[in-house]
Amino acid sequence: MGGDGGVALPTVVESREWYLAAYAPENVPTSDHLKLRSVTVSLEYDSIADQHVALQLLMISVDPYLRSTITGRDGDLYLPRPPLNKVITGFGIGRVVRSKNKNFSEGDIVISPFSPIAEYFIVPSEFLRKIDLTANIPLPNHLSCLGVPGFTAWLAIEVIGNPSTPGSNVFISAAAGGVGMFAGQLAKLKGCRVIGSTGSDEKVQLLKDEFGYDDGFNYHKESDFDAALAKYFPNGIDLYLDNVGGKMLDAVLNHVNTGARIVISGMMSQYNKIPAEREGVKNLLNMVGKGVKMEGFLCGSYLNQFGEFAQQMEKYMKEEKIKPKHKINHGIESFLDSFGSLFSSSNLGKVIVQVAT
Amino acid sequence: MGGDGGVALPTVVESREWYLAAYAPENVPTSDHLKLRSVTVSLEYDSIADQHVALQLLMISVDPYLRSTITGRDGDLYLPRPPLNKVITGFGIGRVVRSKNKNFSEGDIVISPFSPIAEYFIVPSEFLRKIDLTANIPLPNHLSCLGVPGFTAWLAIEVIGNPSTPGSNVFISAAAGGVGMFAGQLAKLKGCRVIGSTGSDEKVQLLKDEFGYDDGFNYHKESDFDAALAKYFPNGIDLYLDNVGGKMLDAVLNHVNTGARIVISGMMSQYNKIPAEREGVKNLLNMVGKGVKMEGFLCGSYLNQFGEFAQQMEKYMKEEKIKPKHKINHGIESFLDSFGSLFSSSNLGKVIVQVAT
């Protein structure tokens, strides 16, 4: 092991990678937009630049924010627009197969926050973080509770929403999703009453059985969100973690208590629509009379709190107070369907693609 | 003077008062909804309850929030719904004509925050605040810079919005209105660059000539608010004080800077619409990528800061750093037209009805 080039791999590998063939301004992206191709990657030691490493991708997190980057327009989440015909990136875990940084050795398992969605690739080492395998944390957990969804949930509940009164009434939409499942568990740990909305009866059951939600409902079965919220929140809503936007947000604004907070981490129901066709939110005036605070955020703005988050979350995991649930699809070729499944209410758990073991 | 009954007034007076004849769910309220009638008020000393005073109304503040209370539905600003056939109330200044509280003497001039809009009336003394006439502050100022609009503007700029960086780009809608005119001046005193939108060219001139705005535009002349904001905010918006809601708020969401704040004190463009017909705001997703905080408020929730506000505002007024502008209409009979004028962009200054001198 070490920076001497290794022995197990050939110096050139075939690597399949997902690239952006066309921007997708609306609807769920398809194989017209995201395509798989095979490229050749040289792993020859001398061909790797200093302070770079070659990684074999083990697993990749499949996250909704990616949707907003490939619309071809500015705005949405204001994340950089990936160029056409280039490999797309995500939050992944890789194995070091060649290293030109003395802090990384072949065989190291690392978190790669801007990981090409490719079987093999070479990246600058500065953003990589080594996973301590002695901690015995299953690798997928690093993409869920300890990854983007867990960090997002923690920021929403512990930092931004921060319901300080036990018994606060908390509502979470996309409640069984990557962010929602952890947000609900964190809110329960703070002593809140937590209700979730999700997209299937099976997921409602999951909310209650595995994530400790007090109750939940299947929004596909509710023709009147206002009536549903009146039923589940007879004492109003103190904190709403909005992962969907649109009509649900509008309905929530009719049930907010004085001083309520609305934390927006995403808007699943709106990502596939062009801005002009998004559902207008009509009840914002209610924010005045109720003194409501609404705040959007991206976790990239809070990286200085990542250490605090990881420490608290690892503690909760050791104490089995936080449980992740993963939907693991196999093979890099499953990425596009995995991505599309985020928008169809069909997943149970955080969606991850396992590319290699 | 004192609690002995006085001499100048008869013991019974005719008093004209505005009462609510019908709720106005939408559109600008008319004489179908608000009607003037004459009633008899006994000023006989023995007929006045303990700790009550009889007041002659001198002037009344004409404020947009009243619109939201007379829709006949709940929600809107969540303020109490006034009962039908009863006199309506507002923020007024009166002269004590009979007193059964030793702290108030006949001839005292008082602020009456829940003042019947009536020529004479009897109220509990607990909410009255005596005006110190030796301070030589013109009476209308107590309803503008030192009243609800000034307090609202101060909270929006100094407490909730609080642009901490000199040079921050501040946008204010309804910029020449009761709240806007003071908010703009307060933001300028904090070193901000301040742009306002208003409803006439004459008012745009007023913004620049009298209130110190850096610039402003007549929204009636802008077919594309997005383009207007792009022109006036080449470096984006750091703080938006929203007094109108709807399309302007939606356009602002396309021009917010990272970490921008939106403070909502009211929504003039929406008050006359039923909730289902309000303009939906479609660009809320931008709050995520830009980490925007949006907050609504009513000044009633911040009464503990009124003293601090009054002290700072009086200081600014003495130093002539804050200038009020009033549109004073005469006679209690002018109240309905004065109220309607709030929604027609026709006023220059804070609208006040002078009932007596």
Side-chain angles (χ1 to χ4, degrees), chain A residues 260-280:
Chain A
R261 284 168 184 257
I262 296 175
V263 180
I264 310 178
S265 66
M267 292 193 167
M268 285 297 285
S269 73
Q270 307 300 301
Y271 286 140
N272 290 317
K273 300 174 199 275
I274 60 171
E277 288 176 9
R278 293 204 171 128
E279 289 163 358

Side-chain angles (χ1 to χ4, degrees), chain A residues 77 276 281-282 289 291-292 294 296-297, chain B residues 77 276 281-282 288-289 291-292 294 296:
Chain A
L77 295 185
V281 173
K282 298 184 173 189
V292 173
M294 183 186 283
F297 75 105
Chain B
L77 296 184
V281 173
K282 299 183 173 188
V288 177
V292 173
M294 183 186 284

Side-chain angles (χ1 to χ4, degrees), chain A residues 8 10 40 102 163 210 216 221 229 254 258 271 274 287-288 290 341 343:
Chain A
T40 302
K102 61 179 169 42
E210 295 199 28
K221 285 191 168 171
L229 293 174
N254 283 333
T258 297
Y271 286 140
I274 60 171
M287 292 179 68
V288 177
K290 293 290 189 180
S341 76
F343 302 99

Side-chain angles (χ1 to χ4, degrees), chain A residues 76-78 264 267 275-276 278 280-282 284-298, chain B residues 76-78 253 264 267 275-276 278 280-282 284-298:
Chain A
D76 292 57
L77 295 185
Y78 296 97
I264 310 178
M267 292 193 167
R278 293 204 171 128
V281 173
K282 298 184 173 189
L284 292 168
L285 181 57
N286 297 354
M287 292 179 68
V288 177
K290 293 290 189 180
V292 173
K293 291 185 174 76
M294 183 186 283
E295 184 165 351
F297 75 105
L298 286 178
Chain B
D76 292 56
L77 296 184
Y78 296 98
L253 285 163
I264 310 178
M267 292 194 167
R278 292 202 172 129
V281 173
K282 299 183 173 188
L284 291 169
L285 182 56
N286 298 353
M287 292 179 67
V288 177
K290 293 290 189 180
V292 173
K293 291 187 175 75
M294 183 186 284
E295 185 166 349
F297 76 103
L298 285 177

